[in-house]
Amino acid sequence: MIKAEHIIKNFGDTRVLKDVSLEVNNGEVVVIIGPSGSGKSTFLRCINLLEQPTEGSVRIDDEEVTAMRSKQVVRVREKVGMVFQHFYLFPHKTVLENLTYAPVKVKGLSKEQAEERARKLLDQVGLTDKADQYPSRLSGGQKQRVAIARALAMEPEYMLFDEPTSALDPEMVKEVLDVIQSLAETGMTMIIVTHEMGFARMVADKVVFMDDGQILESTSPEKFFSAPKTDRAKEFLEKIL
Amino acid sequence: MNGLINGFKAIAPSIPYIMNGIWVTLAIALVASIIGLVLGTLLSLCKIGRIKILNSFARGYTSVFRGTPLIMQLALAYFAIPQLLGINNVDPFTAAVLTFGLNSGAYMSEIIRSGINAVDKGQFEAASALGVRYWSMMKDIILPQAIKNILPAMMNEFISLTKESAIVSTISVTDLMRRSQIVSAQYYLYFPPMFVAFILYYIVVMVLTFLGGRLERRLSRSD
């Protein structure tokens, strides 16, 4: 379980998160939506401490990560996979090496074990034939699927997706969303920041609407998309649907 | 013209002696650049790290070595400091290599630092999010990318070390430069031996430039 309580985050004088709390149960898929600059990504990054919250606490499986020293934080991050908008594959490593690096280095798997698992994952995301390519040879959609596989190679219990399709050409969005959806069907606990409303509606157990550093609504996708409670959410949905 | 040809003929027996100075020159450049690379990497990590004291140390170090002439540092290392400490028989080659290495470390640290800064911040984040420890991240993810970016600059540093190493002749290291002076004095003929050394320096630098270009292309495979 991931439990964020009263998260406040300041960047200099700007307060980008104003008391945000969220609970994600195991097996749950939470989709965070909201306008740009509403703090969605920052909140996500506070969960695995890529950003240190100014105030508030994050608990993962009842361990308070916000109170940890950096050495322990590293251990928690093994449990929480993250996928970024801009993929951030390691450009100097082949696809296979991208997938095996962390499991070997961090989890201490043998190279053979790691490669076996990596090939399975590549198979799962439909990129078996790209194992020995460098990332620069892949399309955006392929890169993002590799990035998902790379995160999964660590066998995380939780996955965070930070706008996984926002940097993709439209025709590549679906292949990535399909992979995420099939992952959701395996019961993976996930928090997804996205602008893909159709996808949100389909995959989410819970939709969280953020604006101006706050959570305005947290409800089921059916309720949110058919009858949003706040005016801000209505306005947002009118603009994008 | 005849005089010039005769001059070259006269020093001909000494030309191999001058040529062998290349190895001394290259040895100084090579050992110094290895010291410089290791030192420069450590210093650059000190500079980008969050530990204040290492931070100021690295910046002070760079400032001193970049703020004084190399020939002065060389004289300090070979003449002044040994006398101060009462050390006799300092090996000029060792003094030369150390001075050049320490000096190159300062320049190299700036090159590497800029290389690290040029690596996408997302690479740090992706590695952190996978639970990779700081040192592994630097060694396996960040530095290889940084070094690829700065390879031309590092090659230039190596070439400039090769050329600048000529000043070790001032502390009696028998490198290419020094040998040409020795031969000049021996025959009382300046142009032929110095022209030989001049050409050799140029050939060496051209070869290094060529090798650098090859290396760069090899490393850009992943692009």
Side-chain angles (χ1 to χ4, degrees):
Chain A
M1 191 174 76
I2 296 176
K3 197 170 179 182
E5 284 179 308
H6 306 294
I7 302 292
I8 288 174
K9 176 69 186 173
N10 298 338
F11 286 123
D13 292 336
T14 336
R15 178 158 289 192
V16 288
L17 293 178
K18 305 167 180 170
D19 193 0
V20 177
S21 300
L22 180 70
E23 212 177 298
V24 182
N25 294 316
N26 284 356
E28 206 173 18
V29 177
V30 173
V31 172
I32 304 178
I33 58 181
S36 300
S38 56
K40 309 182 295 288
S41 291
T42 307
F43 177 61
L44 201 65
R45 294 156 57 84
C46 280
I47 290 171
N48 66 350
L49 295 198
L50 284 183
E51 303 289 355
Q52 184 75 40
T54 311
E55 282 175 46
S57 71
V58 174
R59 296 174 155 275
I60 295 177
D61 295 343
D62 281 325
E63 286 184 290
E64 189 174 345
V65 294
T66 33
M68 284 179 177
R69 304 168 63 92
S70 59
K71 283 220 170 75
Q72 299 168 289
V73 170
V74 169
R75 217 189 63 244
V76 170
R77 281 178 180 155
E78 290 176 35
K79 289 203 280 193
V80 185
M82 183 156 191
V83 173
F84 300 86
Q85 180 179 0
H86 295 288
F87 333 125
Y88 300 140
L89 296 179
F90 305 134
H92 60 301
K93 293 185 179 293
T94 64
V95 166
L96 194 68
E97 288 165 352
N98 263 278
L99 266 64
T100 54
Y101 173 70
V104 170
K105 201 80 189 179
V106 180
K107 288 209 144 171
L109 258 64
S110 74
K111 197 164 166 265
E112 291 72 32
Q113 287 173 308
E115 284 190 1
E116 197 193 322
R117 187 189 291 174
R119 288 188 192 281
K120 262 186 211 151
L121 285 165
L122 283 179
D123 196 36
Q124 202 177 316
V125 298
L127 291 171
T128 317
D129 53 329
K130 301 291 182 193
D132 299 317
Q133 299 271 11
Y134 283 97
S136 55
R137 303 292 297 275
L138 305 180
S139 72
Q142 291 170 335
K143 280 182 193 166
Q144 194 60 297
R145 285 187 281 155
V146 171
I148 294 171
R150 178 177 68 177
L152 291 176
M154 289 297 286
E155 299 193 313
E157 294 164 34
Y158 306 96
M159 285 286 281
L160 310 176
F161 290 87
D162 187 6
E163 302 198 23
T165 59
S166 296
L168 297 178
D169 290 338
E171 75 266 29
M172 291 169 184
V173 169
K174 189 174 180 299
E175 65 188 57
V176 171
L177 293 184
D178 285 348
V179 168
I180 300 174
Q181 200 194 346
S182 65
L183 194 58
E185 282 159 8
T186 66
M188 173 72 77
T189 312
M190 309 202 280
I191 305 179
I192 306 170
V193 172
T194 186
H195 291 295
E196 298 290 331
M197 294 306 141
F199 172 70
R201 191 168 199 159
M202 192 167 61
V203 81
D205 296 313
K206 184 157 83 184
V207 170
V208 170
F209 177 71
M210 279 185 76
D211 186 36
D212 194 27
Q214 286 167 306
I215 292 182
L216 297 188
E217 296 198 31
S218 176
T219 175
S220 73
E222 294 78 24
K223 275 189 190 147
F224 178 76
F225 286 106
S226 55
K229 279 178 285 184
T230 56
D231 290 342
R232 191 67 193 86
K234 275 179 204 151
E235 203 180 306
F236 175 74
L237 285 174
E238 268 163 26
K239 269 184 198 153
I240 60 169
L241 286 179
Chain B
M1 195 61 196
N2 264 339
L4 193 60
I5 293 167
N6 286 335
F8 277 106
K9 275 184 185 159
I11 66 145
S14 296
I15 287 180
Y17 172 73
I18 299 178
M19 285 177 78
N20 282 328
I22 288 179
W23 306 117
V24 179
T25 292
L26 282 177
I28 291 171
L30 193 68
V31 179
S33 63
I34 290 168
I35 297 174
L37 184 64
V38 173
L39 192 63
T41 307
L42 293 176
L43 286 169
S44 66
L45 292 177
C46 291
K47 283 178 188 172
I48 60 160
R50 289 210 186 102
I51 304 169
K52 280 262 157 55
I53 182 151
L54 292 178
N55 234 299
S56 354
F57 168 76
R59 265 186 280 151
Y61 182 99
T62 308
S63 170
V64 168
F65 273 93
R66 295 210 299 183
T68 51
L70 183 50
I71 194 167
M72 180 78 244
Q73 294 163 16
L74 201 59
L76 204 66
Y78 183 63
F79 301 113
I81 292 175
Q83 192 182 47
L84 184 73
L85 302 176
I87 306 167
N88 296 317
N89 307 324
V90 176
D91 175 37
F93 183 82
T94 311
V97 160
L98 277 179
T99 311
F100 271 77
L102 296 178
N103 180 281
S104 172
Y107 285 90
M108 212 70 108
S109 73
E110 277 302 289
I111 296 174
I112 296 171
R113 187 180 65 91
S114 72
I116 292 174
N117 285 342
V119 173
D120 194 326
K121 210 170 144 264
Q123 294 288 317
F124 292 85
E125 294 184 346
S128 312
L130 286 166
V132 179
R133 269 81 175 161
Y134 183 79
W135 289 108
S136 307
M137 170 176 21
M138 280 298 167
K139 180 169 72 69
D140 302 327
I141 306 298
I142 306 302
L143 282 175
Q145 295 183 54
I147 284 173
K148 204 176 96 183
N149 295 338
I150 57 180
L151 204 69
M154 292 211 319
M155 206 56 207
N156 279 341
E157 170 66 13
F158 182 66
I159 288 169
S160 117
L161 267 178
T162 309
K163 287 186 293 177
E164 295 303 315
S165 73
I167 65 167
V168 300
S169 58
T170 61
I171 60 166
S172 73
V173 177
T174 49
D175 70 331
L176 198 49
M177 176 77 191
R178 179 73 177 168
R179 287 177 192 224
S180 76
Q181 290 170 331
I182 289 171
V183 173
S184 294
Q186 200 179 335
Y187 294 88
Y188 204 66
L189 270 174
Y190 286 101
F191 189 80
M194 289 195 165
F195 187 68
V196 168
F198 179 87
I199 293 296
L200 286 173
Y201 270 118
Y202 186 63
I203 292 173
V204 167
V205 168
M206 283 304 105
V207 168
L208 290 176
T209 310
F210 172 75
L211 292 177
R214 289 264 302 242
L215 187 63
E216 215 177 300
R217 274 197 298 281
R218 227 184 98 78
L219 282 185
S220 63
R221 251 182 337 181
S222 60
D223 286 341

